[in-house]
Amino acid sequence: MTDSAARTAGWFADVDPDEFDGLDDRDAGDARDARDGSTVVTAIREGQTETPQDWPTLAVDDEFADDEAAYYDRLHDATMAATRAAVTEREAADDRQLVHAVRAMDDCERTANELAERLVEWAGTVDPDAGTGVSFARELARGDHELESESEPITSLAERVVDLADEAADLREFVERQTPTIAPNLAALAGPVLAARLISLAGGLEDVAKKPSGTIQVLGAEDALFAHLRGHAPSPKHGLIYVHDAVRGTHPDERGSAARAVAGKLSIAARVDHYSGERKPELDAELAERIETIQARTAEDGDRGDSGGETDE
Amino acid sequence: MSDDLPAGVERHPFDGTDRLATRGDPVYGEPTDGDWRAWNPTRSKLGAMLELEMDTGLEGGDEETVLYLGAASGTTVSHVADFAGPTYAVEFAARPARDLLETAASRPRLFPLLADARKPATYAHVVESNVDAIVQDVATRGQARVALENRRFLADDGRLLLAIKARSEDVTRDPEDVFADVRAELEAEYEILETSRLEQYHADHLGVVARPRSQ
């Protein structure tokens, strides 16, 4: 690589040296300004090159800085501003975006199902062979199913249902992709969608992290919980986390234990995600081990004449 | 075994016990004595490696350049910046990087970067070539590959100081097997000079000192 080619690969190549006046103030204050206004921040965050060079020497040769010390001073200002902008952006975006995405996903799914029911009822009046649900809407929209008497409004409604179902699927994909970057441990333990629902119901990742595990255990079972507190119902064993394989896959007699164990690990995972952000794979193993122990209890009993209650889907 | 601590790192008495220490702004509520701040080996893998008297080859001083992979919230890298020269700190997660920024604010030769250590091309335009040491403490799968990928930054006589976390590779396997695999993979481009279990301070970790093989 020639010297000039090497220089253009450095972060300082296209940076306006004047920008460093006042970068310090901005980086202490509003990261948004630094992000929008500065080629420095963009250069650090978005630049790429395969091979590192002796940047300090090249920058001095290039008259970007008077000497090595001045170069390092600028590098410090630049990396501070760029990293602050990146951190602010990642942190501000994430869990709020996720809450909206998972709520929109649920709304789309629910609405698609409701409209599909309406569609089926309507289509049944003109065609006795009408199918059911969203899959029937798809057949209609694709033209795989011809109604006995053609009805334009019914076909049009079917198309809307399909669009909504597709939107819900896209949102689910988004949630599955985003949750692990925001809450890596919670997503790994609960699955991305359940993790996102817990964050949504609690109000944010920080709120999940600050809840006791007993609350996480019954999140989503508020009606049952308050009925219990009023004194005319047993306490709920599980809320949202019922859909977790470790809870649903456990014999009903032991589901309370399983739900307690899952909620405990999920609350630890949420705390790690919120306060450190580091992935801790040992949590997965600990939960798996605990659930195995719990499920082993009923497996033993089951051998002694359980009336076939183990048929879980 | 040598007890040659890098310049700027000393055993300094805190409440009557000698502990590793460097001079700088306190970061994580560690005990201080004047300028000196204690370096807690149970919270820092590099600290544990020094405490166990591994020969890290670190010299200290303003001329020494360091690339630190997996800086997290800056606990260890703050000590490195205290005794070494220009120090590049790479961290992938946003939350700890926020704390890292505070650590870096009072250390003019500590350069924080929010980047993925598995993708050196995303920071090779900032981090200079021929650094004297790479310190690696990343809790991800594929720790050997991270070391191989970042070989490009290291001077031919530089040192790789690596803390391998067995549980990050595979929680279910015996740590010794994991370490053997990681070492075998490292051998492709590094010559391993010394290894030591950090058990006393960090469960299931292996400290490794290596130097690049001449190409």
Side-chain angles (χ1 to χ4, degrees):
Chain A
M1 200 185 277
T2 65
D3 255 17
S4 69
R7 259 196 283 278
T8 54
W11 65 274
F12 47 84
D14 297 317
V15 163
D16 177 1
D18 290 341
E19 271 190 35
F20 283 90
D21 306 331
L23 188 63
D24 246 352
D25 314 335
R26 257 188 308 186
D27 113 64
D30 190 357
R32 193 176 307 267
D33 280 356
R35 187 169 71 236
D36 294 340
S38 128
T39 57
V40 177
V41 167
T42 319
I44 298 274
R45 288 183 62 186
E46 287 166 24
Q48 283 212 15
T49 188
E50 277 304 316
T51 322
Q53 309 279 336
D54 184 1
W55 304 126
T57 310
L58 288 171
V60 174
D61 289 354
D62 211 20
E63 294 176 0
F64 170 76
D66 294 337
D67 55 24
E68 207 169 80
Y71 168 79
Y72 282 130
D73 287 344
R74 289 194 160 169
L75 179 60
H76 186 255
D77 291 349
T79 51
M80 289 293 288
T83 304
R84 196 180 297 278
V87 165
T88 311
E89 194 178 289
R90 287 244 300 258
E91 286 208 308
D94 300 347
D95 65 337
R96 294 310 305 160
Q97 293 296 310
L98 191 65
V99 167
H100 286 297
V102 75
R103 287 178 185 169
M105 177 187 103
D106 285 341
D107 286 348
C108 284
E109 270 175 12
R110 182 174 40 77
T111 313
N113 284 328
E114 278 174 16
L115 280 179
E117 266 179 62
R118 166 75 52 227
L119 173 78
V120 167
E121 233 176 281
W122 192 356
T125 61
V126 298
D127 185 349
D129 294 334
T132 54
V134 173
S135 57
F136 172 65
R138 274 189 204 285
E139 286 171 24
L140 263 187
R142 267 203 312 263
D144 292 353
H145 184 101
E146 299 262 323
L147 291 171
E148 269 183 24
S149 64
E150 192 56 43
S151 163
E152 207 225 310
I154 294 181
T155 321
S156 171
L157 181 61
E159 282 164 9
R160 293 293 91 77
V161 172
V162 170
D163 285 349
L164 266 176
D166 288 347
E167 187 63 39
D170 288 351
L171 284 166
R172 180 176 289 269
E173 219 172 87
F174 175 83
V175 167
E176 282 172 352
R177 209 174 47 239
Q178 285 298 306
T179 316
T181 69
I182 296 152
N185 293 294
L186 192 60
L189 256 63
V193 173
L194 174 56
R197 287 218 170 90
L198 288 169
I199 293 172
S200 155
L201 215 60
L205 179 57
E206 182 173 2
D207 304 78
V208 184
K210 288 184 171 167
K211 286 199 192 312
S213 86
T215 304
I216 292 173
Q217 189 184 341
V218 295
L219 266 185
E222 283 76 9
D223 287 352
L225 178 66
F226 289 118
H228 165 65
L229 292 177
R230 278 194 301 271
H232 50 73
S235 68
K237 290 194 284 291
H238 36 59
L240 271 187
I241 63 165
Y242 173 71
V243 302
H244 195 287
D245 283 343
V247 180
R248 206 169 38 177
T250 298
H251 188 276
D253 290 352
E254 296 294 341
R255 273 193 195 145
S257 307
R260 218 160 48 233
V262 169
K265 286 299 173 211
L266 293 189
S267 71
I268 293 171
R271 285 165 204 177
V272 174
D273 287 337
H274 177 66
Y275 293 106
S276 125
E278 216 176 274
R279 175 85 176 95
K280 294 223 180 302
E282 53 264 41
L283 286 175
D284 311 19
E286 286 167 18
L287 177 61
E289 199 180 306
R290 183 83 192 99
I291 292 300
E292 216 170 282
T293 315
I294 291 171
Q295 293 186 341
R297 290 183 207 152
T298 47
E300 283 161 23
D301 294 350
D303 292 340
R304 294 186 254 115
D306 182 272
S307 55
E310 296 281 302
T311 48
D312 223 12
E313 286 172 80
Chain B
M1 289 277 187
S2 67
D3 193 22
D4 293 335
L5 291 170
V9 185
E10 281 184 16
R11 289 183 196 280
H12 191 86
F14 292 90
D15 291 331
T17 32
D18 272 0
R19 301 178 57 177
L20 284 179
T22 62
R23 268 178 296 193
D25 266 11
V27 168
Y28 50 97
E30 66 277 26
T32 53
D33 177 29
D35 279 351
W36 290 95
R37 45 194 287 263
W39 189 347
N40 185 346
T42 61
R43 294 188 58 167
S44 161
K45 278 127 225 170
L46 184 61
M49 288 166 78
L50 289 171
E51 195 72 76
L52 294 169
E53 302 187 351
M54 292 181 78
D55 187 2
T56 60
L58 289 169
E59 286 168 5
D62 292 345
E63 295 302 310
E64 188 165 55
T65 50
V66 178
L67 169 58
Y68 196 106
L69 304 170
S73 45
T75 311
T76 304
V77 82
S78 65
H79 288 290
V80 174
D82 284 349
F83 71 76
T87 304
Y88 299 87
V90 174
E91 171 54 40
F92 184 46
R95 175 64 194 86
R98 199 198 314 155
D99 299 334
L100 175 61
L101 281 165
E102 288 191 17
T103 305
S106 65
R107 293 181 169 80
R109 291 292 176 268
L110 177 55
F111 312 117
L113 293 166
L114 189 68
D116 186 346
R118 289 169 296 188
K119 296 175 187 154
T122 59
Y123 50 88
H125 65 302
V126 180
V127 178
E128 63 193 83
S129 54
N130 289 319
V131 298
D132 298 306
I134 292 180
V135 183
Q136 181 184 324
D137 177 17
V138 294
T140 95
R141 213 173 269 249
Q143 294 168 90
R145 227 194 64 220
V146 171
L148 298 178
E149 289 278 335
N150 285 280
R151 156 74 179 85
R152 66 186 80 178
F153 295 102
L154 193 57
D156 289 336
D157 59 350
R159 290 286 183 277
L160 169 73
L161 309 174
L162 169 65
I164 306 170
K165 181 176 184 179
R167 292 181 194 169
S168 292
E169 298 290 331
D170 190 337
V171 276
T172 57
R173 284 178 64 202
D174 180 0
E176 285 299 338
D177 297 343
V178 175
F179 294 146
D181 283 1
V182 174
R183 289 171 58 158
E185 209 179 331
L186 279 178
E187 293 279 356
E189 287 187 40
Y190 289 97
E191 180 188 344
I192 294 173
L193 301 174
E194 188 182 358
T195 64
S196 169
R197 287 291 290 260
L198 306 180
E199 219 52 48
Q200 200 179 336
Y201 304 106
H202 302 275
D204 298 335
H205 280 76
L206 182 73
V208 177
V209 180
R211 72 169 167 229
R213 283 186 197 283
S214 37
Q215 301 283 313

